[in-house]
Structure formats: C-alpha cells, structure tokens
Amino acid sequence: MAEALEVTIQFTTFTPMIYLLLIINLLTFIFFGWDKKLAIQHKRRIPESTLLGLTCMGGTGGAIVGMLIFRHKISKKSFLLKFSGVVLIQGFLILCYLKFFRFLV
C-alpha cells in the first residue's frame, strides 16, 4: 500500500511538468512549420535564436519532428551545429539529474 501511495505522489508531482513539456513541444513544432511557410513565401522569418530558445526550453521533440516533417533547417550546417549543442547539453543535464539528484524525487 505504501508503494502505491509513493508512486501516486510522484506521478501527480510530475503531471504539471508533463503538460508543460507537451505544450512547449507543440509550440516548437508550430513555430518550425510557420517559419517554413514564411521561408516559402519569401517573407520575414522567425529568428534562429527563437527556434533554438524554444528547443532549449524543452521543445526538442517538437523541433526534431518539425524539422523532419517540414524538411526545414535540415541542410543548414550552422543551425544543425547549434541545435546539436542544445540536445547534447540537455542530454548531459538529464544524465546528471538521474545520477546525482534522483534522490530528491
């Protein structure tokens, strides 16, 4: 019974975080699609710093899906290098959390 209570407490603690990540990923996906549409129309584009900022805030999944579906920013090496840096930093932070701070949950 105590284990079930502990799992329930942990899940409800992270539920707002899951919703937040879903929203930021959806927003990032939309921004990548919108930027692709603006690029096709030769209009003023969304700055790369905005796209990378959304990715950095947790929208990595949405950015990857958006890049693949819209075929956007996949051939620009400078963007891919910055994007890879963001993904590597996020991966490192997740590993550090799992290794050193998991006891906080």
Side-chain angles (χ1 to χ4, degrees), residues 39-91:
I40 291 170
Q41 296 173 346
H42 301 290
K43 292 186 176 179
R44 187 170 179 177
R45 308 269 303 276
I46 297 171
E48 280 187 4
S49 59
T50 302
L51 297 174
L52 288 170
L54 287 168
T55 302
C56 189
M57 290 190 314
T60 306
I64 291 171
V65 172
M67 288 169 67
L68 294 175
I69 288 179
F70 301 120
R71 297 185 50 84
H72 188 52
K73 298 284 188 186
I74 55 176
S75 61
K76 191 169 182 184
K77 291 181 182 180
S78 65
F79 181 82
L80 288 176
L81 185 63
K82 295 171 193 172
F83 181 80
S84 298
V86 168
V87 172
L88 286 173
I89 290 169
Q90 287 176 340

Side-chain angles (χ1 to χ4, degrees), residues 3-14:
E3 290 178 17
L5 181 61
E6 183 179 329
V7 171
T8 305
I9 290 170
Q10 287 180 355
F11 180 73
T12 55
T13 304
F14 285 112

